[in-house]
Every structure is written in structure tokens, then in C-alpha cells.
Amino acid sequence: MTVTAARGFLASGVAAGIKESGDPDLALVVNQGPSRAAAGVFTSNRVQAAPVRWSRRMLADRRLSAVVLNSGGANACTGPAGTEDTRLMAERTARAVGADAHDVAVCSTGLIGVPLPMDRVTAGIDTAAGRLSADGGEDAAVAIRTTDSVHKTAVAPRSGWTVGGMAKGAGMLAPGLATMLVVLTTDAEADGPALDSALRAAVRTTFDRVDSDGCMSTNDTVLLLSSGASGVAPDDKEFAEAVHAVCLDLARQLVADAEGASKEIEVAVVGAASEEDAVTVGRSVARNNLLKCALHGEDPNWGRVLSAIGTTDADFDPDRLDVAINGVWVCRDGAAAEPRDKADLSGRRVTVTVDLRSGNDSAVIWTNDLTAEYVHENSAYSS
Amino acid sequence: MTVTAARGFLASGVAAGIKESGDPDLALVVNQGPSRAAAGVFTSNRVQAAPVRWSRRMLADRRLSAVVLNSGGANACTGPAGTEDTRLMAERTARAVGADAHDVAVCSTGLIGVPLPMDRVTAGIDTAAGRLSADGGEDAAVAIRTTDSVHKTAVAPRSGWTVGGMAKGAGMLAPGLATMLVVLTTDAEADGPALDSALRAAVRTTFDRVDSDGCMSTNDTVLLLSSGASGVAPDDKEFAEAVHAVCLDLARQLVADAEGASKEIEVAVVGAASEEDAVTVGRSVARNNLLKCALHGEDPNWGRVLSAIGTTDADFDPDRLDVAINGVWVCRDGAAAEPRDKADLSGRRVTVTVDLRSGNDSAVIWTNDLTAEYVHENSAYSS
């Protein structure tokens, strides 16, 4: 159901032949209204793909009728021709679904620097438009996969209205979003500013706290479209909570499916003087390659945690740092405490808790271990 | 010869039994004078090992008679007991070589969070003191190895005076130094401030530009001791050049021996608006795990270079970025240019050149590829 869980939306996913494998690679999501309100959050990378530049501009009026998405090519770093290709995708979609091209967002994912095979893309858009359906959410979610091993969807049903969504992303996950395309839909009545504020708040503590490998993509896009078809206008808090729930669910699915990972690692920083400090420390720990290798080897190497904390400017006293790994306080006051072999790391989920003992703020960053499979997958990606 | 290439220095290296393997693990370097001038640069990690805290304090008067170094244990995150152990190492060394403990620097490297076996350490200091010799430089360089596959030494002979040195480090190499211990010696006449300024200038553009895996150690130390035994006082520029030459030689040896690496990667950033911009961009590229995997797979994936540049706040226009890989301009104006298969990555050395086209400043960062062996070595390190 996903993007078609909320009323007023049609979707489809087809194999347009962009991917050599013949797997599905093109998706459409269409908002039938009555409302066309929308909001979007994009990569903070300064090198931005043509579709990101286009969609950001088209969203200035907080209105979208449709989204066209393709996997199999990022259309990033493709020069003026890439910009033209994005415009053609929007125009072809607009024609096929009866919308204005300025109300069509474009999302692309795949290899950087390679032009899209536009004849296949445009034919694929026409095919996808012919298959639009109120049950097409799963097909759309499947078609946006790149190295994802599973498609990712989530839904938050509320009384009389719904938020649903789909996501792709399996690497290059980092703050300021990831190689991550997310489309959320809702039939709740909410105007552009309300959508924007709920989406930004949700992204800040979900997708933006996923840091799989410290690499930030050129194509990240999270869109939220409202059809208003439920006729229900939830209050702001209730609506924000539902958007957050779907974002969190999808973000966790991204971490669970990160390229080559064997562990899902939650870095929980508590006792911070500010939320910013907690996020800074969490990211530094989550990005430490040596720690990620150690956790892969099921070694509760808290020294590498301290070493990562020490590179930050957060408020803490090195002699008052506490670290727990899967609940065992292996480090207290900056030195060894409970025996490290008490920490059982045999499961897939690992929690690293850092107590900065400098305040009451906290944050969680999600990451993965570093594995030989990650190296293999990312050495072979484009060949 | 290394630390004993310059006149006025004795050194030794012994197996004290700190390492379970029985390999050499304790070294002494003694300055016989007439001068005892010295300078030091330490890790910028805020979590600092006891020996770093000690040596930094002892160097406040810019004077050292001896350095005691051990591998097999970092004495980091070891609490008040670790501080006491460092003091005992300095005192035992002072007694054994006839110096004041306040003129003895201590350097430790190895696992974090584990106390040193002090009975073996102190006995080892006595043994090492008995073996001090003007030919002991190699033995000392061998004894400070951890996962280093070779010992690292360098020497810059000048007319009538010499700068020599030894280094260890094979991972966790990052700005603000690395898990890196370096001792440099000279028989040139140079006072503390002159040593300090030559050392800082050299470290800034050598060891500080090595970024093997983005991880910063708790123990990094670079020391420079002058005996003045040559009776020659070179001018500042000449002296700084020799110190820089030895540091550069040792830094390149560290990169060449980085844990599990199969490629030595030089990221050269040119056309930058400032040296700071060039360093920022170089580091971001050098730390990009996806690029490091691609280069390991001999894939000239310039899209990942652009994606890394885009995460920085350096001065550049995304549509005017040029990237060459091993001299082939695979990207011009932010898009594909020469065919990527023209870039031959089969050799061990890879150069990634980024032209920001925003000015005339430049910088070079040295790093390595990311390999399954790196993961393996760092998963198994403490087990």
C-alpha cells in the first residue's frame, strides 16, 4: 500500500530498461487531490543532481501533482544535458498524467556521471502512466531500489486519515540525508507550511540521524504530498507524530538494509549539555571506522569509543566518561569498569551508550558495522 | 642509524615482555648533550593517554634528556593508576640513565584501556639502559612497532650536522597526528623555540596531512631533541627544511604501511581559494569510504570525488569542478570528460587531482584505500 495507503493517490512501477538487469526501474506517484499541497527536504551536498535542483525549484510554491522516480542512473554530474533530461522527464510525466510540469517532482538514483537513456525513460513514463492504480504502491517501492535487498514501505493509519510512504537507500547514508529517495503521502488536510514543518521536524530526528558510512549523496530527496481526500484535518501535533512515525520506521529499514552490514548499531548519547553536543558525539562515534570494524568482530572496544568522543568539541570531562555496550558499563570515569567479555555482541543489534555526564540532553544515531562485504560491494558497484 | 644518526645520542630497544609475542617492545633514546633542547607536538584528541599528559607537561621548559617508549600497551583510559605508571616509567628511566625525571618524556602505544605490566616495564627499562649505544637507533625503531609491518627511519645529513628520526604507526592515522610515535634527533645547535617552530611547521604539512582512516589517536607524539654536538648552528630556514624532509619521509612511510591497504592515494587539491580550503577538500575526499572502496577496486569513480567535495564549505562552483585520476581528466566542469577507462589504476600509487578553479592555493593529503584486510585486521586487533 505504502504511498497508496492514503486516499487520493495512484502509483505504479515498471521496468523501463534503464537497468541492464531488466529489473523495475521507473515509478510514478500521482496525487488526485482535492489538495495538491506538498513539501520536500533535499540533500545538503553542494554538488546536487539535476533532479534535485529541479524538484527544489518546483516545490517553491509547495504544490505537487505527481512524482516521477527512476533507479538505474542518478543523473548527477551530467552537465547541461542532465538538466535538460530532468525537464523532459517532468514534461513527459505531466503530459501522461494530465498535470502541469511545474507540479511534477523528479527523483533519480544510481550511478553518478552517466546520462540517462532518455528514449527508454520517456517510453517507461508512458507505460507507467497507463498502469497507475490505487494498489500500485508496492510496485512503485520495488522500482526505486538500487542495491536495496528489499523494498521499504511504512504506514501510520490514524482515525480517518493515514500517512504512508516508501524509501530506497542502502549505502552512502549520512546526515543531510543519504542516497535516499523517500515519498510520503497523506490524505489528511494539511497545507504546505504544515506539511513542511512536520516533514522537517521528522527528518531532523530520523533520516538525518542515520549515518551508515559518513558519505553524503548528491540526490537525496524526501517528499510529502497531501491529497486532503480524507476530509479530516488533524491537529499539528497529531499530524507531526504520524509523519515522524513513518519516517522513523523507514529510517530503521534503511539501516537494517545497509550495504554489506552485519550489525545494526544504535549510538545513544545521554547526559549531554545540549542536543547538538549529543548529535556531534553520536556522529563521531558512528563514523569511526576502527570501532565499526571492532563491533563487526564482536569486540566491545570501548577505547575506540572514547577516542572518537575525544575528537569532538562537546562538553565533557575525559575522566568522567561512561560507556556501556549492550548495557554493560565497560567504561566508567574514562577507564575500564565491568569486564568487557560480559558484553554479548553476538546478536545483530548493538547499542553503544555514551554518558557525557554534562547535562540532560540526548540523541540517537543509527549506523552499521564495517565489513569486508561493504568493501566488496562498493568496489564492484560500477563495474 | 635513525635517532642515533646525529651525534650525541644513544638508543636501545629490548623485549621487555609487554607483548605476549615476545617481540621487542621497549626503547630508550638518550641525549648526551651538550644541549638538552627539545620540542614536541601531541595529539589534538581531548581523550589523551597518561604518557601524553606527562610528556606535554615535562616539555613546558623545552628540555629533555631522554625518551622512554613502549609498544604493547597505550596506557590510555587507564585512570589514576595509569598516570602513576607513567610517572614510574619516567623515574625509573631517569635513575637508569642519570637524568632528572622531569626531563624524561614517555610514549606508549598499543591497546587502549589496559594497564601496563609494570614489573616487566621497569625491568625492561633497566635492561634497555644497559644496552644503550650510538648504534642503537635501529633497535629502538624496531621496538616501537605495533601492527607496523616494517620499522620506519629517515635521515637528512647536512653539511656538518644531521636530522634523523624513527616512527611507528600503521592505522588510526588522522589529522592532529595519528597512532603515531615519532622521535627526531639532531646535533645541530638550535634552542627550544627554534626546535618548536621548525617542528610545528614540518608536522603541519606532513604528519597532519596523513589521513589513513579518519581516526585520531589518544597517544600521538612527535618529539624533536637537539644535542648541539655538531657545534654547527644552521640558519632557521635550512634547519626547518631538514626537519621537514625527515618528517615527510617518515609520513610517506606511514601511509605506505597503513593497515591492510593495497593503494597509496595522494589527493592533490589545486586551484583553491586558500590553503585551508584545499586541506578541507582534500580531507573530505581522503575520508570518503565509498571512494576508498572504488579505488581499491581500481574504479576511477570521480562521482564519489565530487560527492565528497560537495560536503565541504570550500569556495567552488559545482559546475566548474575538474577531477583527474592518475593524470586523466575524467571530470571537467562537473561532468564526465575523458573516458574513465583511460585512467590506469593497476599500480600501488594513485593520484586524485581536484581543481577547484577558485584560486591559487593547494594542498596534498595522503591516504589509503579501504580493503577487506583493513576490516579483518581491525576486527581482530584485540582478540
Side-chain angles (χ1 to χ4, degrees):
Chain A
M1 296 290 281
T2 82
V3 289
T4 46
R7 277 160 291 179
F9 291 93
L10 304 177
S12 61
V14 301
I18 309 168
K19 289 179 180 166
E20 281 182 23
S21 64
D23 287 337
D25 49 19
L26 194 135
L28 289 181
V29 179
V30 174
N31 183 356
Q32 300 192 292
S35 168
R36 300 294 192 293
V41 178
F42 300 91
T43 181
S44 57
N45 199 311
R46 290 172 59 203
V47 174
Q48 301 190 342
V52 168
R53 299 185 195 189
W54 169 274
S55 299
R56 191 193 294 275
R57 224 164 59 237
M58 294 312 122
L59 258 169
D61 62 358
R62 298 228 172 93
R63 183 186 153 86
L64 283 182
S65 297
V67 185
V68 55
L69 310 95
N70 77 274
S71 53
N75 196 8
C77 308
T78 40
T83 305
E84 179 63 13
D85 288 346
T86 291
R87 196 178 56 76
L88 287 173
M89 285 176 71
E91 289 178 355
R92 187 71 162 236
T93 302
R95 200 178 319 145
V97 307
D100 186 314
H102 295 95
D103 292 334
V104 177
V106 181
C107 301
S108 300
T109 179
L111 258 189
I112 297 177
V114 182
L116 290 174
M118 284 306 292
D119 48 343
R120 298 182 185 189
V121 170
T122 49
I125 289 171
D126 294 344
T127 309
R131 298 203 195 151
L132 283 167
S133 128
D135 296 320
E138 295 289 330
D139 287 347
V142 166
I144 60 174
R145 288 165 57 182
T146 53
T147 55
D148 304 67
S149 69
V150 292
H151 65 284
K152 287 118 183 160
T153 65
V155 61
R158 296 293 182 265
S159 63
W161 55 280
T162 295
V163 178
M166 65 178 182
K168 67 83 33 185
M172 229 190 191
L173 300 173
L177 309 184
T179 293
M180 184 173 70
L181 302 182
V182 180
V183 179
L184 307 176
T185 57
T186 183
D187 49 14
E189 288 186 345
D191 61 11
L195 295 176
D196 189 68
S197 112
L199 185 62
R200 282 181 198 284
V203 167
R204 194 179 72 83
T205 57
T206 57
F207 298 119
D208 264 355
R209 302 247 167 120
V210 171
D211 198 329
S212 158
D213 60 8
C215 299
M216 192 195 296
S217 157
T218 51
N219 288 58
D220 307 321
T221 303
V222 183
L223 301 173
L224 171 57
L225 285 68
S226 163
S227 67
S230 71
V232 181
D235 76 24
D236 287 354
K237 200 178 154 190
E238 204 183 353
F239 182 63
E241 181 280 321
V243 173
H244 184 270
V246 173
C247 287
L248 183 61
D249 190 337
L250 291 172
R252 296 302 300 258
Q253 292 181 52
L254 292 178
V255 177
D257 193 32
E259 286 171 349
S262 72
K263 303 283 184 196
E264 296 165 44
I265 302 166
E266 180 173 311
V267 181
V269 181
V270 302
S274 66
E275 187 183 351
E276 193 188 342
D277 269 11
V279 171
T280 300
V281 167
R283 278 205 206 296
S284 180
V285 172
R287 287 187 177 181
N288 190 280
N289 276 354
L290 288 169
L291 176 66
K292 288 155 79 96
C293 287
L295 295 179
H296 174 57
E298 306 190 349
D299 167 18
N301 196 319
W302 57 269
R304 294 176 180 177
V305 178
L306 259 62
S307 165
I309 300 169
T311 63
T312 71
D313 60 0
D315 207 353
F316 68 84
D317 174 348
D319 294 327
R320 281 170 47 86
L321 289 171
D322 296 348
V323 176
I325 297 184
N326 278 355
V328 178
W329 290 94
V330 286
C331 168
R332 281 196 192 276
D333 293 327
E338 298 200 46
R340 49 199 289 155
D341 53 15
K342 280 181 68 180
D344 177 7
L345 298 182
S346 58
R348 186 171 168 90
R349 290 202 173 194
V350 176
T351 302
V352 176
T353 311
V354 174
D355 189 347
L356 295 176
R357 297 168 65 185
S358 299
N360 297 308
D361 279 298
S362 64
V364 172
I365 303 287
W366 294 279
T367 188
N368 301 100
D369 56 343
L370 185 56
T371 69
E373 289 69 33
Y374 173 89
V375 174
H376 178 73
E377 192 160 342
N378 288 296
S379 304
Y381 184 78
S382 78
S383 50
Chain B
M1 294 292 281
T2 85
V3 289
T4 45
R7 277 159 291 182
F9 291 93
L10 303 177
S12 60
V14 301
I18 309 167
K19 288 179 181 167
E20 280 181 22
S21 63
D23 288 336
D25 50 18
L26 193 135
L28 288 181
V29 179
V30 174
N31 183 356
Q32 298 191 293
S35 168
R36 299 296 194 293
V41 178
F42 301 91
T43 181
S44 57
N45 200 310
R46 289 172 59 205
V47 174
Q48 301 190 341
V52 167
R53 299 185 196 191
W54 170 274
S55 299
R56 191 193 293 275
R57 223 164 60 238
M58 294 311 124
L59 257 170
D61 63 358
R62 299 229 170 92
R63 184 186 150 88
L64 285 181
S65 296
V67 185
V68 54
L69 310 96
N70 77 274
S71 53
N75 196 10
C77 307
T78 41
T83 305
E84 179 62 13
D85 288 347
T86 290
R87 196 179 56 77
L88 287 173
M89 285 176 71
E91 288 177 357
R92 188 69 162 239
T93 302
R95 201 178 316 143
V97 307
D100 186 313
H102 294 95
D103 292 333
V104 177
V106 181
C107 301
S108 300
T109 178
L111 258 189
I112 297 177
V114 183
L116 289 173
M118 283 306 292
D119 48 343
R120 298 181 185 190
V121 171
T122 49
I125 289 170
D126 294 345
T127 309
R131 297 204 194 150
L132 282 167
S133 127
D135 296 320
E138 295 289 330
D139 286 349
V142 167
I144 61 175
R145 288 166 55 181
T146 53
T147 54
D148 304 68
S149 68
V150 291
H151 65 285
K152 287 119 184 156
T153 65
V155 62
R158 296 292 181 264
S159 63
W161 56 280
T162 295
V163 177
M166 64 179 181
K168 70 81 33 185
M172 230 189 192
L173 300 173
L177 309 185
T179 296
M180 183 173 70
L181 302 182
V182 180
V183 180
L184 307 175
T185 58
T186 183
D187 48 15
E189 287 186 346
D191 62 10
L195 295 176
D196 189 67
S197 110
L199 185 62
R200 281 180 198 283
V203 166
R204 193 178 71 82
T205 56
T206 58
F207 297 120
D208 265 356
R209 303 248 166 120
V210 172
D211 196 330
S212 158
D213 60 7
C215 299
M216 194 195 295
S217 157
T218 52
N219 287 59
D220 307 321
T221 303
V222 183
L223 301 174
L224 170 58
L225 286 68
S226 163
S227 68
S230 71
V232 180
D235 76 23
D236 286 354
K237 199 178 154 190
E238 203 183 354
F239 182 63
E241 181 280 323
V243 172
H244 184 270
V246 173
C247 287
L248 183 62
D249 190 339
L250 291 172
R252 296 302 300 258
Q253 292 181 51
L254 293 177
V255 177
D257 194 34
E259 285 170 350
S262 72
K263 302 283 183 194
E264 297 166 41
I265 302 166
E266 180 173 309
V267 181
V269 181
V270 302
S274 67
E275 185 181 352
E276 193 189 342
D277 268 11
V279 171
T280 301
V281 168
R283 278 205 206 299
S284 180
V285 172
R287 286 185 177 182
N288 190 280
N289 277 353
L290 288 170
L291 176 66
K292 289 154 78 96
C293 288
L295 294 179
H296 174 57
E298 306 189 349
D299 166 18
N301 196 320
W302 58 268
R304 293 176 180 177
V305 178
L306 257 62
S307 165
I309 300 169
T311 64
T312 72
D313 60 0
D315 207 351
F316 68 84
D317 174 348
D319 294 326
R320 281 169 47 86
L321 288 171
D322 296 347
V323 176
I325 297 183
N326 279 356
V328 178
W329 291 95
V330 286
C331 168
R332 284 198 190 273
D333 292 328
E338 299 201 45
R340 47 201 290 158
D341 53 14
K342 280 181 69 180
D344 177 7
L345 298 182
S346 58
R348 189 173 166 89
R349 291 203 171 194
V350 176
T351 302
V352 177
T353 311
V354 174
D355 189 346
L356 295 176
R357 296 169 65 186
S358 300
N360 297 308
D361 278 299
S362 65
V364 172
I365 303 288
W366 294 279
T367 188
N368 301 100
D369 55 344
L370 186 56
T371 68
E373 291 68 34
Y374 173 90
V375 174
H376 177 74
E377 192 159 342
N378 288 296
S379 303
Y381 185 75
S382 78
S383 53

